[in-house]
Amino acid sequence: MTTTERPNVVLIHWHDVGTHLGAYGHGDVASPAVDRLASEGLRFDQAFCTTPLCSPARGSLFTGRYPHTNGLMGLVNRGWEYAPGERTVPSLLSELGYRTALIGQQHESRDPYRLGFDEVHPWLAGPARCGPVSQRAVEWLEAAPGEPFFLTVGFFETHRPYPADGYPPVDPASVEVPPYLPDNEHTRADLAGFLGSIRVADAATGRVVDAVERAGLADSTLLLFTTDHGIAYPRAKGTLYDPGIRVAFVARPPRSWGVAPGAPDGLLSHVDVLPTLVELAGGPVPPSVQGQSFASVLRGEPGRRRTEVFAEKNYHDEYDPIRGIRTDRYAYIRTLEPGTPPRLSGDIERGPVRLGLGEEQLRPRPAEELYDLDDDPWQLCDLAGDPSYAEVKAGLAARLDAWMSETNDPVLAGRVAAPSGSLDEGPVPR
């Protein structure tokens, strides 16, 4: 097989793990399967989702478009859906002769059969836990079709909660508390359960990767691993700081391509995945797609890379409009309803970490924030009011304004209305 031939694609995606994995420098995390995949392939260190919330983040991953353009601006179980006419990765690849299948987690529609897959194996009665999902994926791969295929394998993990009977916690004393969280017994106990969830999900990931090997598909299959957004902790999930929008993204090209393992330079956004897969499949990228292909990188060739990524937040438990731009060095964040405290999602509010959260974490937010990532990678020192950074802030603000205008961001016209109908947290296909 050569790089001009069309690869199979297996996309494994988790919930709420960000880059909290051994391959991304977290020494307290046991994730040998993902770490091995990263060592054998390409580990993208500057990959980002478009929003730190489940449904809209996944919507961008599968449409190559931002939440405010594809219509999925909030959670499916709160009434949001794709806008009419939206195209997805599986629908486009199906038209190009791929067999497409969904196994496990999805959170882009109340009706998974609307998503464009040829086969749907959803979990309608409860969360798509990684154990049974990985087993079904293994069985599917053992009988993989002869034509090129696109298989998505979605795990509920590492979404909260982390019950000890399903995810044996690690020793809280062994946990490395990120600098943006308070180090206390509540945080450590919470992180101990989270790390237990990672261990279980990682083992299931390894079973899927091993099935690709046993089925003799490694030479012809592109393996992708990612997550929807950052970890479910304060200053992460639900925020536009790096712990909220930076994600693991690992790609192992088909072995027959002979691409050397490594960590490619440059920024990457989840909106770039669709155009990349369509290009690799030999099809035209729809003009409505807002991402840019990185297929050349997967082939081991030089290619144009991003200089910036954009992110947004609209609806989770409540309306919370935020926009942001991230470059190699700077992060600029604009809160469109300033003066309000950070709005923690319900799962974080109900978690143990909330018990140890000081009031400093809930101080009112300014209209603008600016961070120099060279000196402040955890984004703890806001430079928006520093005169020496005024020119940098103005330049980033102008670039953000241009993006909002070019993409017809509805917040430019005022508050975005929630969809009519139910806004409860009722069951949704997982």
Side-chain angles (χ1 to χ4, degrees):
M1 180 176 179
T2 69
T3 56
T4 60
E5 294 178 337
R6 305 192 302 168
N8 304 314
V9 181
V10 175
L11 168 61
I12 303 169
H13 55 93
W14 296 8
H15 251 307
D16 297 10
V17 79
T19 58
H20 215 83
L21 298 159
Y24 283 86
H26 290 273
D28 60 334
V29 178
S31 53
V34 175
D35 298 352
R36 185 189 74 198
L37 193 65
S39 70
E40 295 174 347
L42 304 173
R43 187 195 68 222
F44 292 82
D45 291 337
Q46 296 294 322
F48 294 85
C49 61
T50 63
T51 182
L53 308 170
C54 176
S55 294
R58 294 168 188 274
S60 288
L61 176 65
F62 285 102
T63 65
R65 286 160 51 79
Y66 295 101
H68 69 263
T69 59
N70 68 28
L72 197 56
M73 297 175 70
L75 299 181
V76 166
N77 46 304
R78 289 180 173 268
W80 295 91
E81 290 277 350
Y82 285 137
E86 284 298 318
R87 306 300 308 281
T88 64
V89 171
S91 66
L92 291 167
L93 293 188
S94 289
E95 292 178 0
L96 294 171
Y98 273 65
R99 184 70 182 175
T100 62
L102 161 67
I103 296 179
Q105 175 74 35
Q106 74 85 20
H107 205 207
E108 301 96 74
S109 178
R110 282 185 174 272
D111 179 5
Y113 297 92
R114 292 181 54 196
L115 299 177
F117 289 94
D118 298 319
E119 300 177 32
V120 175
H121 306 265
W123 262 246
L124 297 174
R129 302 289 181 184
C130 63
V133 170
S134 63
Q135 180 57 38
R136 189 170 296 184
V138 167
E139 294 167 357
W140 194 94
L141 287 164
E142 288 173 346
E147 70 264 37
F149 63 81
F150 171 68
L151 172 66
T152 73
V153 182
F155 296 163
F156 178 77
E157 290 82 6
T158 58
H159 199 289
R160 291 177 179 273
Y162 316 123
D165 58 344
Y167 311 113
V170 305
D171 180 359
S174 70
V175 168
E176 297 176 6
V177 179
Y180 56 88
L181 293 177
D183 189 349
N184 55 52
E185 61 177 320
H186 303 294
T187 301
R188 287 183 169 273
D190 204 353
L191 286 167
F194 172 52
L195 298 191
S197 178
I198 292 174
R199 279 186 171 181
V200 173
D202 180 80
T205 298
R207 289 193 288 273
V208 177
V209 174
D210 288 346
V212 171
E213 302 284 348
R214 289 196 308 273
L217 297 167
D219 278 352
S220 58
T221 299
L222 169 63
L223 270 165
L224 301 176
F225 171 85
T226 192
T227 183
D228 50 1
H229 50 68
I231 66 175
Y233 285 82
R235 285 190 71 88
K237 179 179 179 178
T239 79
L240 300 194
Y241 305 120
D242 272 18
I245 61 171
R246 186 169 166 241
V247 295
F249 194 92
V250 173
R252 195 183 79 181
R255 288 219 175 101
S256 63
W257 290 9
V259 178
D265 293 332
L267 301 165
L268 181 148
S269 171
H270 268 170
V271 291
D272 301 333
V273 173
L274 181 147
T276 299
L277 296 183
V278 171
E279 180 181 334
L280 291 175
V285 177
S288 61
V289 168
Q290 294 164 318
Q292 64 183 57
S293 173
F294 57 95
S296 61
V297 178
L298 299 183
R299 297 186 185 109
E301 303 165 354
R304 182 170 63 97
R305 301 307 305 276
R306 281 184 170 273
T307 58
E308 60 199 14
V309 295
F310 296 97
E312 63 185 87
K313 183 184 180 185
N314 298 291
Y315 275 92
H316 194 257
D317 301 280
E318 57 188 319
Y319 187 53
D320 190 20
I322 313 174
R323 299 293 184 266
I325 179 173
R326 169 68 153 78
T327 68
D328 283 329
R329 180 170 177 180
Y330 297 105
Y332 171 80
I333 300 169
R334 181 182 297 164
T335 297
L336 301 179
E337 291 190 351
T340 57
R343 291 168 178 165
L344 301 178
S345 62
D347 56 339
I348 299 175
E349 284 281 8
R350 294 186 292 269
V353 68
R354 182 66 180 87
L355 298 174
L357 191 62
E359 291 306 308
E360 176 65 16
Q361 296 282 336
L362 300 177
R363 64 188 184 279
R365 295 170 294 178
E368 297 177 293
E369 297 172 69
L370 176 68
Y371 300 95
D372 185 338
L373 302 167
D374 283 355
D375 299 327
D376 181 25
W378 295 108
Q379 294 157 280
L380 300 175
C381 181
D382 181 10
L383 301 171
D386 188 330
S388 64
Y389 283 85
E391 186 175 347
V392 170
K393 184 179 76 171
L396 292 170
R399 289 159 76 178
L400 182 63
D401 286 338
W403 172 75
M404 293 172 67
S405 177
E406 291 164 2
T407 58
N408 297 313
D409 194 330
V411 298
L412 294 174
R415 183 185 177 94
V416 176
S420 60
S422 173
L423 293 181
D424 64 19
E425 293 190 29
V428 64
R430 293 292 188 183

